[in-house]
Amino acid sequence: MAAIATSFSAAAAAVARRRSPAHIQLVARRRLPFCTAASAAPAAAAGFSWADALRVASDTGVGDESDLSGYFQKVDICNRGLDKKGQFVEFLVEDQVVGYIHKGFTQHLRDFHDVFTIVSGHNGNSNVGHVTLHPSLRTPEDRTLAIGDVIKGLGELIPGIRNELYPVTSSYGMPVYFSLERAAAPYFGIKAYGVHMNGYIEKDGEKSLWIGKRSDVKQTYPGMLDHLVAGGLV
């Protein structure tokens, strides 16, 4: 993995100001309940090089270390689409919410009526109220096999199949209801967890952070900057 070192002395100084009004604002923003981060286009991602990163850093300059407005912008980008929350419905298993599915995607699940049950809203119209599993699927093993067949049946609708399974739970550490193909996780809105590791060096009294660059042939975010080591937690 290619890597470069970039100074993070400004970030360290910002941490020292954690009780400032700017930090309080950041904490408030981090409590936003809904995140709809979208994938970057592969073509655009592959075109962003180290030269581009250095140019952006040069154009920005160091500035005031206490100014966290740039970080706030990244938080806002991550939490974009809050006004579209109504386009998603709950995915329930054993009366527990395990994910959120876009109403448009639920239409593709109607053909698999022996696996998914599409429940109408309380007002009795055709609007989707929530999605659950067919009551005949009682064990995690049965659910995993049945939903796996659905993922295969959807074909190119879910690209980038990894043949890796994510455990589906209501929250971290809770019982596993079934396991789901990693590439399908965003389509069912399940909670997915990852482990990330950063490394740093110290030279001439200044600490620098190692930044990795993803391979240009990765299925997701090719050619983009990344943590030194990272991976999904299964």
Side-chain angles (χ1 to χ4, degrees):
M1 177 187 288
I4 61 172
T6 180
S7 173
F8 66 102
S9 58
V15 171
R17 297 176 172 84
R18 61 185 180 278
R19 295 190 179 275
S20 66
H23 177 264
I24 295 174
Q25 184 182 8
L26 174 61
V27 171
R29 291 182 180 220
R30 288 182 66 185
R31 289 176 178 168
L32 287 171
F34 189 71
C35 181
T36 55
S39 301
F48 191 85
S49 66
W50 293 118
D52 295 316
L54 295 174
R55 174 181 52 77
V56 171
S58 175
D59 293 342
T60 303
V62 176
D64 183 2
E65 294 176 347
S66 65
D67 182 9
L68 298 179
S69 59
Y71 192 79
F72 291 154
Q73 292 174 6
K74 301 300 183 184
V75 174
D76 288 338
I77 291 174
C78 180
N79 287 287
R80 67 188 181 279
L82 289 173
D83 56 317
K84 298 180 176 62
K85 187 176 180 180
Q87 297 180 12
F88 295 80
V89 297
E90 294 178 339
F91 179 25
L92 302 178
V93 179
E94 296 184 14
D95 296 324
Q96 297 296 314
V97 177
V98 298
Y100 292 88
I101 304 177
H102 192 275
K103 291 179 179 178
F105 187 73
T106 64
Q107 302 308 311
H108 298 287
L109 303 180
R110 290 186 180 276
D111 294 334
F112 305 94
H113 49 81
D114 56 338
V115 179
F116 294 100
T117 300
I118 313 296
V119 180
S120 300
H122 297 299
N123 52 12
N125 57 29
S126 59
N127 292 334
V128 178
H130 68 268
V131 177
T132 188
L133 297 178
H134 193 277
S136 64
L137 301 174
R138 295 186 176 90
T139 68
E141 293 77 16
D142 289 343
R143 296 164 182 165
T144 298
L145 291 174
I147 296 175
D149 289 339
V150 171
I151 302 304
K152 294 176 183 178
L154 292 174
E156 293 300 320
L157 189 64
I158 301 180
I161 297 299
R162 307 282 193 87
N163 293 316
E164 299 177 29
L165 296 178
Y166 270 174
V168 177
T169 66
S170 58
S171 60
Y172 187 76
M174 298 302 289
V176 177
Y177 295 114
F178 65 93
S179 297
L180 178 69
E181 158 64 38
R182 178 176 179 176
Y187 296 86
F188 290 88
I190 69 167
K191 298 180 178 70
Y193 303 91
V195 177
H196 300 259
M197 185 179 76
N198 288 313
Y200 68 91
I201 60 173
E202 186 169 359
K203 184 178 180 180
D204 299 329
E206 184 178 57
K207 293 180 180 178
S208 297
L209 183 70
W210 285 101
I211 304 295
K213 182 177 184 293
R214 294 172 66 83
S215 167
D216 290 335
V217 297
K218 292 286 287 185
Q219 292 177 319
T220 54
Y221 307 104
M224 299 188 74
L225 306 185
D226 203 350
H227 297 276
L228 190 62
V229 179
L233 182 62
V234 297

